Amino acid sequence: ETGVTQSPTHLIKTRGQQVTLRCSSQSGHNTVSWYQQALGQGPQFIFQYYREEENGRGNFPPRFSGLQFPNYSSELNVNALELDDSALYLCASSPGTNQGADTQYFGPGTRLTVL
Amino acid sequence: GDSVTQMEGPVTLSEEAFLTINCTYTATGYPSLFWYVQYPGEGLQLLLKATKADDKGSNKGFEATYRKETTSFHLEKGSVQVSDSAVYFCALLPRNAGNMLTFGGGTRLMVKP
């Protein structure tokens, strides 16, 4: 069974640029959630996708957007990057069998540095 | 809103010592509770979970019991190893009221040989 994978592993961008991060969910999972983890802090929920529809959003501005594809993989897009966007971005997938109460399994993360 | 509070680290122990990391939560209703572990440079790994009051989650010698009366989910291990050195996160998932995990700030554990 393949776990959650993310790409790229590391990324360096400059302020004002745009970035796309990718996530492949665990086999059999149809729900993907994205989290931002600043250095030394716990992860913060960005949004979740369930069967290609956004299914909940945290306290992040609209320049954070996402997509989920028919194979349940997902993208996180961030426009107009700011220095504070530097963080580890984590993707988690869950089976979607009990929406709202499923265990979430995390990928290794993408480390984004904004200069 | 929902919140999770963990004891501040770092926690430094000698190998084979007893470990307790405290976690308390505030939530509407009865959430599911989780402990995740993060090794240096890696993502989060699920360590254990409990979905209702008095449930005990356990894995790899770690245990935590869902205490509704004290809104706590403390992590314990009887004998830590150097390989347990990592950051531990307590988290809650609301039941039927949302789908976002709310995490505590994390507790760094350092185990010395």
Side-chain angles (χ1 to χ4, degrees), chain A residues 4 10 18 36 43 57-58 60-61 66 73 81 85 87 107 110:
Chain A
V4 179
H10 296 90
Q18 178 265 342
Q36 179 195 68
R57 188 178 182 92
F60 279 80
S73 66
L81 283 167
D85 295 334
T110 293

Side-chain angles (χ1 to χ4, degrees), chain A residues 31-107:
Chain A
T31 302
V32 172
S33 305
W34 287 92
Y35 293 81
Q36 179 195 68
Q37 185 181 19
L39 196 62
Q41 298 182 22
Q44 299 291 317
F45 176 76
I46 303 175
F47 44 57
Q48 183 182 88
Y49 280 84
Y50 172 66
R51 294 185 174 180
E52 303 180 58
E53 298 287 330
E54 188 176 291
N55 185 46
R57 188 178 182 92
N59 189 26
F60 279 80
R63 58 189 186 84
F64 286 78
S65 62
L67 282 174
Q68 187 178 33
F69 300 99
N71 66 355
Y72 304 127
S73 66
S74 177
E75 287 183 354
L76 164 66
N77 299 290
V78 186
N79 294 321
L81 283 167
E82 300 177 359
L83 297 179
D84 285 348
D85 295 334
S86 295
L88 181 68
Y89 287 84
L90 296 164
C91 169
S93 74
S94 46
T97 55
N98 187 6
Q99 193 183 352
D102 284 332
T103 300
Q104 296 181 21
Y105 297 89
F106 285 79

